[in-house]
C-alpha cells in the first residue's frame, strides 16, 4: 500500500481531482436547467457530468486505499469520458446559442458550464495520453 505522501504526489490523483472539480462545478452551474433541448441531449449532458464525478471519485478512492484501477480500464474510462464531455460541452453551447437561451434562467451560467465541460474533456485527453505513455 502506497503512503499518503506518494499518493498525493501522483499525477493521476491530481488529474482525477481536477476532473471531479470541473464536473461538480458544471453540475452546480447547470442545476435546475434542462441543458440540451431534447431528452437525448439532456441525458448526454447530465450522464456525462455525473459519470465524471462518480468515476473520478472512485479512482481517487482507489488510489487512497492502495487499489488503483487497472490501466486498461482507466484508459477506456478516460477515452469514453473525454468523448462524452466534448459532446456535453457542445450541447451546452448549442443551447446557449439557440432560441432556447432566453428561456434559460441565467444563460451565462450555461456558457461557463460548457467551457468547464470542454476543459474537462481536454483534461481527460491529457489523462489518457499520460497513462497510455506510462
Amino acid at each position: 500500500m502506497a503512503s499518503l505522501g506518494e499518493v498525493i504526489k501522483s499525477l493521476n490523483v491530481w488529474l482525477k481531482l481536477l476532473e471531479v472539480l470541473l464536473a461538480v462545478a458544471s453540475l452546480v452551474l447547470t442545476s435546475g436547467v434542462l441543458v440540451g433541448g431534447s431528452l437525448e441531449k439532456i441525458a448526454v449532458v447530465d450522464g456525462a457530468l455525473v459519470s465524471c464525478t462518480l468515476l473520478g471519485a472512485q479512482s481517487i478512492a482507489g488510489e487512497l486505499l492502495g487499489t488503483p484501477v487497472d490501466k486498461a480500464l482507466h484508459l477506456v474510462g478516460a477515452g469514453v469520458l473525454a468523448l462524452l464531455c466534448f459532446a456535453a460541452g457542445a450541447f451546452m453551447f448549442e443551447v446557449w446559442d439557440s432560441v432556447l437561451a432566453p428561456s434559460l434562467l441565467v444563460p451565462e451560467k450555461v456558457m461557463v458550464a460548457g467551457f468547464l465541460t470542454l476543459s474537462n474533456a481536454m483534461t481527460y485527453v491529457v489523462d489518457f495520453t499520460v497513462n497510455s505513455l506510462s
Side-chain angles (χ1 to χ4, degrees):
M1 185 167 163
S3 70
L4 184 60
E6 292 173 5
V7 170
I8 291 175
K9 291 178 185 176
S10 169
L11 179 60
N12 279 338
V13 171
W14 287 105
L15 284 171
K16 288 296 171 200
L17 187 60
L18 177 61
E19 292 161 359
V20 169
L21 291 175
L22 288 171
V24 169
S26 296
L27 278 169
V28 168
L29 288 170
T30 60
S31 66
V33 180
L34 296 176
V35 179
S38 70
L39 290 178
E40 294 83 9
K41 291 179 181 178
I42 292 168
V44 169
V45 170
D46 291 342
L49 296 176
V50 170
S51 296
C52 290
T53 305
L54 292 175
L55 291 175
Q58 179 186 14
S59 294
I60 292 170
E63 291 285 339
L64 291 174
L65 296 173
T67 56
V69 176
D70 181 63
K71 182 178 178 178
L73 186 59
H74 182 90
L75 290 175
V76 169
V80 169
L81 288 173
L83 293 174
L84 279 174
C85 285
F86 275 122
F91 291 155
M92 288 180 196
F93 278 115
E94 178 185 25
V95 167
W96 172 74
D97 192 38
S98 71
V99 293
L100 297 173
S103 67
L104 296 174
L105 298 174
V106 183
E108 292 79 21
K109 285 185 178 182
V110 175
M111 181 184 65
V112 172
F115 175 75
L116 291 175
T117 304
L118 290 176
S119 299
N120 204 2
M122 291 307 300
T123 306
Y124 275 107
V125 168
V126 169
D127 188 3
F128 182 89
T129 305
V130 165
N131 283 294
S132 65
L133 296 177
S134 64

